[in-house]
Amino acid sequence: AQSVSQHNHHVILSEAASLELGCNYSYGGTVNLFWYVQYPGQHLQLLLKYFSGDPLVKGIKGFEAEFIKSKFSFNLRKPSVQWSDTAEYFCAVNSRFSSNTGKLIFGQGTTLQVKP
Amino acid sequence: DGGITQSPKYLFRKEGQNVTLSCEQNLNHDAMYWYRQDPGQGLRLIYYSQIVNDFQKGDIAEGYSVSREKKESFPLTVTSAQKNPTAFYLCASRTERAGPYNEQFFGPGTRLTVL
C-alpha cells in the first residue's frame, strides 16, 4: 500500500532560520506530489505541487520543494522563515494510476513553530 | 465568494447518536471528499464521490455513510457504529476538468466531540 512519511513531527525555529521538512513516499510508479499548509484557525491550503518537468518547484510565500525520484522524496524548503509561517504542514501524494479519482495519501503532518 | 462551507464548526453529541456533518461547495467541482484528521496521523480518507449519485469508500469508511444527491452537497453521517468518532472532519472538492492533476480545495472543518 502507498504511504507517506514525514520525519519531523514538531519543528521549532527562530525567525530567519532556514527550513527543510522531509517527506518520503512509498510507491514505485509515477506520482503527483503536493504540500499543504494549515495555519492556525484557517483552511488547509495548497503551498505547491509537482506533476512533471523541473523537479524544483516554487510555491507561495517563498516555499519551494525538490522532487528526487531516486530517493522517493519531496522535501519542502524555505531559506528564511517568519513568525507567520507557524502552521502545520502536510505532504500528500497520489499515483498517476489513481489520479483520475484524485485520491490523496497524506503524511502525518509536521507542526512548525517559529519563535519571533 | 466561491468556496466550501462546512457546518457546524463545533458539534457535540452523546455516545450512540448518529450525527450528520454538512458540506456544500459552489465551485462547480465534480469530485468531493471527506477526511478525518487526528493528531499525529495526518488526514485519512473516509469517502469520496466523483459524480452525483455515486460514491466510493476510502481507507476508513467503517461507521460512516454519505450521500451525493446534488453536485454541490456531500453530507457525511457518523453513525453509532463508529468506535472513535471524536475528530476533526474535513471536506474537500476538486475539479476534474483540464486533466487529472488538479489539487483538492478544503473546507474549514467540523470538530466533532462525542461525550
Side-chain angles (χ1 to χ4, degrees), chain A residues 33-80:
Chain A
L33 299 153
F34 305 82
W35 274 99
Y36 281 88
V37 61
Q38 191 172 37
Y39 296 105
Q42 294 188 27
H43 300 202
L44 202 69
Q45 59 184 280
L46 183 73
L47 265 181
L48 46 80
K49 59 185 179 183
Y50 172 80
F51 298 126
S52 63
D54 189 343
L56 184 63
V57 292
K58 294 191 184 301
I60 61 171
K61 305 189 180 187
F63 286 91
E64 64 179 30
E66 185 176 13
F67 170 52
I68 304 179
K69 189 174 180 179
S70 61
K71 294 185 178 180
F72 298 90
S73 71
F74 190 54
N75 292 355
L76 181 71
R77 301 195 292 245
K78 186 171 184 179
S80 175

Side-chain angles (χ1 to χ4, degrees), chain B residues 80-95:
Chain B
S80 55
Q82 168 49 233
K83 297 192 186 318
N84 186 19
T86 294
F88 189 52
Y89 291 88
L90 286 168
C91 179
S93 71
R94 172 180 169 269
T95 182

Side-chain angles (χ1 to χ4, degrees), chain A residues 3 14 55 58 90 94 107:
Chain A
S3 66
S14 298
K58 294 191 184 301
F90 294 94
N94 67 13

Side-chain angles (χ1 to χ4, degrees), chain B residues 46-59:
Chain B
I46 304 172
Y47 268 98
Y48 66 101
S49 166
Q50 292 181 270
I51 195 169
V52 174
N53 293 322
D54 188 46
F55 47 83
Q56 308 295 328
K57 291 182 179 180
D59 300 317

Side-chain angles (χ1 to χ4, degrees), chain B residues 1 7 16 21 23-24 62 64 70 87 108 113:
Chain B
D1 274 341
S7 61
L21 281 56
C23 177
E24 303 277 332
E62 186 175 347
Y64 299 98
K70 298 186 299 182
T113 303

